[in-house]
Structures are given as structure tokens and as C-alpha cells.
Amino acid sequence: MNPSAAIATVLLDELIRQGVREVVLAPGSRSAPLAYAAEAAERAGRLRLHVRVDERSAAYLALGLAKASRMPVPVITTSGTAVANLYPAMLEAAHGYVPMILLTADRPQELRGTGANQTTDQVKIFGGSTRWFHEFGTPERRPGQQAIWRSVIGRAVAESRGYPSGDPGPVHLNVPLRDPLVPDQLDDTDADWPESLTGRPHGEAWLSLRQPDSHGRGAVTGSGIAPVPRTLVLLGDLPAAHHSSELAELADAAGWPIMAEPFGAYRRGRVTPNGPLLLRAHDWVDDHLPERVLIGGRVTLDREVARLLSNPAVTVEAVTPLTSWADPGHVVRRVHDWDDIERSHQAVASCVDRAWASQWRTAGQVVAAAAVPLIEASWPSGPSVARTVVHSLPADSGMYIGSSNTARDVDLARDPREITHGVVAVGNRGLAGIDGVISSAIGFALARAPHPAVALVGDLTFLHDTNALLIGPHEPRPDLTIVVMNDNGGGIFGTLEPGRDSLSGPYERIFATPTDTNISELCAAHGIEHEYVGDADVLADRIANPGKGIRVCEVRISRDGQREFRAELGAAAAAALAPKPTE
């Protein structure tokens, strides 16, 4: 066994001992030892290997796998630009608190700065965005290295899962390797190596991690979450799906109304339908202000939420499972640790102002009654397609929600009470980019099998990541229905400031960016089933009765009128809650 094969074998073995079960590989020459070790581990039934030819897609695939499992997924690359292509997914993982391990092969130190092929400075190439960085010494034929290699893997897994920092995220391990880069033979053994490379006996990990979520908490001091009767709970994007459930259960215990963005898994009985549409009724909201807004996660989809939070009459508090919290408006007055949720149940039980909460629930129903007919009559619009998809999801299915207009369409159009049980919805909300969403959705669907999954995206989001469809014949494929809302461009800009009539001149070219791409032919080139869907009932059937493998349902919608339709929904909400004139 040569030194490069030795370190690769040990690193993969120790990752498995630490609980890693999925590995993504983007092949290359310098990373060959790691590739052989990963393939051998899969043949032994110890992990599942996913091979992708595009490093950017590979990294987002790992991100999607990890979002579902909450375990770090290593992505293996060769040196040079291959490493740089991991950057977008790494940033999303960093801001979205997703565990990930970037395992990058590199030239040994003597080849750096010499003009050697595919060589750049990979040391801390991602700056301060990773939770931890380590560069291994170049392996040599000598004893005493196994303990270092295995200990580093234990530390890397710990750091990526948020131990001890509290914040999960990406870790970068750089592995310098010398020739030879291939083993003498497949399933090479360490018989000729200066020390045994078998690790601790009985498959035990080299480093035992004390996982905070598996140990009882110590005594916690402080007042916890106070029983404020007029409290509105806002659920945004949180690191793990169960976080939204935990905060929603506290709101249920208190009786507080909930307004939730369409991410996570939560009990939906008290969630206001049609997202923040109610907040467009400014006069009604001002007359029924909450005394406190309790926020969990990042709330990013609607500007009306920011208006509510900036009201000086409202106290804003945040509860966070991390070491930080979101506060872009600088309005948070008090921050609670996530442990405060569990220990505050008894204190807040049934504390709600029942009359006030009833008014909020009734207002949500009134707004829904006004908005739903408009949404359903607008088919095929973004909100009507989104509503059809989310209301047709099978039980226990997963949904990956694209950025830009898509997430907002879901937020405004859905009635959480009509979504079946067990549905988990996620998105790349760390940086809310459109890149890598299809790869992430494929990873998410693979990790949640055998439950079906749906990805709902716009055409630019789909086209930005078509390399996600480059899946070889030997690779695992999920059962994933991708719904593409094709408005031939970036429709969201029409709803923002660039969409104003006074700025219409250059708008089409520099913001709308139509591509005229034939998605059907693109899918055919990848061997992906494609279908144009023009009827809401047909789309509902495709979602409710998912097929096998990856398929694309394309719904063509108009980019025109999106700004006006959102204004119409807002006006309908305000009118529905306006005081009725007396006879």
C-alpha cells in the first residue's frame, strides 16, 4: 500500500465510523486515492457513493443530502478550479447551517508555486466561511500517522455538526498527495505498511463525540419566554425541520396565532392561511397589533413583515437554536435560547388573549375567502401553480422550494391547514440564490427515500443547474417530480423596483433576461421525462401520484401582470378587513 492510498483508506474508514453514510465524488487525477477508497467502501456496503462530473453540482448534491439527514456529507474533488467550484454550495451551507465536509486533494508542498498543472493555493481558499480548516501533512511511509488522520476526521465531523460551536456548517480538509495516486491493486491491504491502519477495535470511532442533543441539559437560569397574552409567532427558515415543530408546539400550548413561511415541518392548525397577505390590511393590523412578535429563524420573504416588526408599539423577541440570530431591521429587544421553548410550556400555557387571538384567526379566514378565488381564477399564474402543488402533495413527502418568486408564490398561495400530514419543505435560504437548487433537491430526495419528493422552481433556477441532470447510468436516482414554472425569464424583477413603468426601457434585457430555451429538448438530451402541463387538475394528479425516477412537469406562465396581480391580492385583503359601512 502506498502512502496516498493509506491516508485515503483511513480517512474514509474513520468518516464511516463517525456516522457518515453518503459521499459525493467529482472525479479527478489527484483525488484518485480518495475515489478508490470511497468506491471500495461502497462495495463493502458501508456507504452510498454518488459520482458527478461537475464539482458545483456535486457540492449542492451533498448540501441537499445533508439538509435532510443533518449529517455531514463529504464531497471529494481534485485540485485547482475543481475546489473553487465548491464555493457557492459552501457559502449556502455556511449561511444555512448545513453540515458538510469539503475533502479536497492537493499537490504536495514541493509542487506549489512551481507552475505545476492544476495547482493553486488551496490553503484556506474559502477564507473564514468554513467552520474549520485543516491541511494534512503529505503522507509518508512511516509509522505514527494513523492517530493524526483519524483524530482530524473526528474533529472535522464535530465541527461540521456544530460541536462545540453550536452552529453546523462546512468544514474544509485539504489533502496533499504524492504519486503514486493509484493502488497497486484493488482492495489493497496494509500488510506492508509500517503500522496497522485498522483503527479502534469493534468499529469504534477514534474520537467519541459528546452530542449535546443526546444528553440532559444542566440547570438553566433566567425568566424564559414570558406569557405575553397578545403574542404573534413568526416562523422563518430554521436549520432543521423539527425546529419549526418545536416552536409551533409552544405557540399551540399558549394559544398564540402563527404566521409561517413555507419551510420546515410543523403542526398547521393555527397557522394563518395565505402567508402574510393579512398584513396588507394596514388599518386592521394597526388596530389589532400584537404586543409581542416572537420570531424563530430567518423571515425573509415579505416586506410587510418588516413593516410590522418596525412598529415601535411591538416588542420583537427572537428564539434561536444557534449562536446568533437574524435581525436585519435591528428591532430585536430580547433573544432566547432554544432550550427556553421546552421549559416555557407550562409558564405560557393558555395565556393567550382569547378574544384577540380569535380576531386574528377570523381575519385570516376572511382574507383567505377573498384571496383564494382570485388565485384559483388566475391559472396558470405562479400563485395558482404553487397552490396546486402544495395542496396535492402526498403524505410524508418532501418539497424543495426554489428562490425568487417561487418561494413567495408558495407563501402567499397556500393554506397550511390543507397540506397533508408529514410534509417537509425546505429551500436554499442561507443565501437564497437560484444556483444549485436542482442538485440540492436531488440530494434531498435521495436522502428521504422512499418518500416521494417535489421540487418547485422557476425556469431560470432550473436552467442555472441543468448539470444536475448529468447523472450517470450507475448512479442512484431519486423519485423526484420537478415542476418548472416557465415565464421565460426573471419574473421577480417585475414585482420589484426595476419593474416600474418609468424604468421599462432596458428592463427586458438586463433584468427579465429571457432565454427562449426549449426545456423539453434539454430534458430529452439527458433522458429525463418531460411533460407540458396546462391544466390544474392534471398537475394535481402528477403531484399526488408521483412516478419513478426524475421527471419534469413544465407549466408555462406569463411574466406580464405579476406585479399587478400581487397588488390585486393585497387590495382584496385590505378590502375584506375594512370596516363595513353602517346602514
Side-chain angles (χ1 to χ4, degrees):
M1 177 174 286
N2 63 58
S4 294
I7 189 174
T9 299
V10 169
L11 297 187
L12 267 296
D13 177 65
E14 192 61 32
L15 283 167
I16 294 166
R17 291 170 182 246
Q18 289 289 354
V20 168
R21 294 295 179 267
E22 310 270 6
V23 171
V24 181
L25 167 69
S29 177
R30 187 59 51 171
S31 58
L34 296 165
Y36 281 112
E39 190 276 337
E42 184 185 54
R43 274 190 289 115
R46 304 181 68 199
L47 57 75
R48 181 167 60 167
L49 178 63
H50 309 267
V51 180
R52 296 295 187 270
V53 298
D54 177 4
E55 289 84 4
R56 180 172 158 275
S57 293
Y60 275 108
L61 176 69
L63 177 88
L65 287 161
K67 280 185 80 76
S69 68
R70 302 309 300 173
M71 278 294 295
V73 176
V75 54
I76 297 171
T77 72
T78 192
S79 61
T81 57
V83 180
N85 276 290
L86 305 178
Y87 216 145
M90 185 281 301
L91 287 175
E92 174 62 33
H95 289 271
Y97 305 99
V98 181
M100 179 188 290
I101 295 176
L102 313 175
L103 196 57
T104 61
D106 201 352
R107 263 50 177 176
Q109 287 80 355
E110 65 268 18
L111 289 181
R112 299 177 188 177
T114 66
N117 192 33
Q118 292 186 331
T119 304
T120 188
D121 185 0
Q122 295 176 197
V123 175
K124 295 193 175 182
I125 190 173
F126 303 119
S129 297
T130 56
R131 299 292 185 264
W132 189 61
F133 168 82
H134 179 85
E135 179 172 48
F136 290 94
T138 305
E140 301 172 337
R141 182 175 291 280
R142 62 176 176 81
Q145 297 170 100
Q146 175 184 225
I148 299 171
W149 298 339
R150 292 186 182 273
S151 178
V152 167
I153 289 296
R155 173 74 180 271
V157 171
E159 294 283 356
S160 71
R161 298 189 68 186
Y163 317 145
S165 70
D167 293 345
V171 164
H172 180 200
L173 299 178
N174 202 47
V175 190
L177 298 170
R178 292 191 181 100
D179 291 338
L181 299 172
V182 298
D184 297 330
Q185 58 185 13
L186 292 179
D187 301 318
D188 206 359
T189 68
D190 63 354
D192 62 342
W193 191 254
E195 64 174 332
S196 171
L197 298 179
T198 56
R200 299 201 190 280
H202 311 299
E204 182 183 352
W206 196 266
L207 175 66
S208 296
L209 304 181
R210 184 188 185 280
Q211 301 179 10
D213 54 6
S214 65
H215 292 261
R217 300 285 187 174
V220 182
T221 59
S223 57
I225 299 172
V228 178
R230 294 191 176 190
T231 293
L232 174 67
V233 173
L234 288 184
L235 286 174
D237 183 54
L238 284 152
H242 66 81
H243 287 140
S244 55
S245 299
E246 292 167 2
L247 185 52
E249 287 168 5
L250 180 73
D252 282 350
W256 298 325
I258 306 171
M259 194 167 284
E261 291 190 345
F263 308 109
Y266 48 89
R267 294 173 60 187
R268 295 169 165 85
R270 297 183 187 273
V271 177
T272 304
N274 303 102
L277 199 55
L278 182 156
L279 299 183
R280 268 89 166 153
H282 294 165
D283 291 341
W284 186 93
V285 172
D286 291 344
D287 289 340
H288 299 81
L289 278 178
E291 181 181 349
R292 175 180 67 182
V293 175
L294 184 64
I295 303 175
R298 294 176 66 236
V299 181
T300 61
L301 293 181
D302 199 283
R303 296 182 179 184
E304 294 298 333
V305 172
R307 178 185 181 274
L308 172 65
L309 299 181
S310 65
N311 190 316
V314 176
T315 297
V316 180
E317 299 180 7
V319 56
T320 177
L322 305 164
T323 61
S324 60
W325 58 93
D327 185 20
H330 307 285
V331 293
V332 172
R333 301 186 193 181
R334 185 173 293 109
V335 179
H336 302 280
D337 186 82
W338 203 255
D339 288 346
D340 287 347
I341 293 176
E342 182 176 354
R343 66 192 188 88
S344 297
H345 271 257
Q346 186 172 354
V348 306
S350 302
C351 73
V352 71
D353 180 328
R354 295 180 184 275
W356 174 83
S358 176
Q359 291 168 339
W360 271 81
R361 285 193 295 273
T362 300
Q365 295 166 3
V366 168
V367 168
V372 169
L374 297 176
I375 293 172
E376 292 181 342
S378 70
W379 175 274
S381 67
S384 64
V385 173
R387 181 178 177 85
T388 300
V389 170
V390 297
H391 288 184
S392 304
L393 290 167
D396 301 317
S397 59
M399 183 176 183
Y400 222 94
I401 303 174
S403 299
S404 298
N405 262 352
T406 304
R408 291 163 176 82
D409 287 337
V410 176
D411 195 30
L412 289 177
R414 83 199 193 289
D415 186 340
R417 300 167 301 179
E418 296 185 20
I419 300 174
T420 191
H421 65 85
V423 170
V424 174
V426 299
N428 289 350
R429 300 305 302 170
L431 289 176
I434 67 169
D435 45 345
V437 172
I438 306 303
S439 295
S440 299
I442 290 173
F444 177 74
L446 284 165
R448 297 195 80 251
H451 302 300
V454 171
L456 180 63
V457 299
D459 56 300
L460 292 187
T461 297
F462 180 78
L463 295 173
H464 205 283
D465 193 26
T466 54
N467 272 4
L469 306 180
L470 288 171
I471 305 175
H474 306 297
E475 301 309 308
R477 288 177 178 248
D479 296 332
L480 174 66
T481 301
I482 304 172
V483 179
V484 181
M485 296 190 290
N486 187 358
D487 62 2
N488 196 27
I492 190 171
F493 294 109
T495 69
L496 303 175
E497 286 77 2
R500 299 201 308 260
D501 290 341
S502 60
L503 301 174
S504 61
Y507 172 80
E508 187 72 4
R509 182 183 181 194
I510 66 175
F511 287 103
T513 58
T515 67
D516 296 334
T517 300
N518 189 316
I519 291 178
S520 174
E521 293 184 2
L522 189 152
C523 289
H526 291 286
I528 300 294
E529 179 184 346
H530 173 278
E531 178 183 11
Y532 291 109
V533 178
D535 184 87
D537 290 337
V538 173
L539 181 61
D541 178 72
R542 298 298 184 268
I543 303 302
N545 301 288
K548 293 295 183 181
I550 300 174
R551 62 175 179 172
V552 172
C553 294
E554 180 182 351
V555 184
R556 292 181 172 175
I557 65 177
S558 175
R559 202 163 8 92
D560 296 332
Q562 295 187 25
R563 184 188 191 96
E564 291 77 11
F565 183 58
R566 282 162 176 73
E568 182 182 2
L569 288 176
L577 292 178
K580 300 299 185 287
T582 56
E583 294 290 338

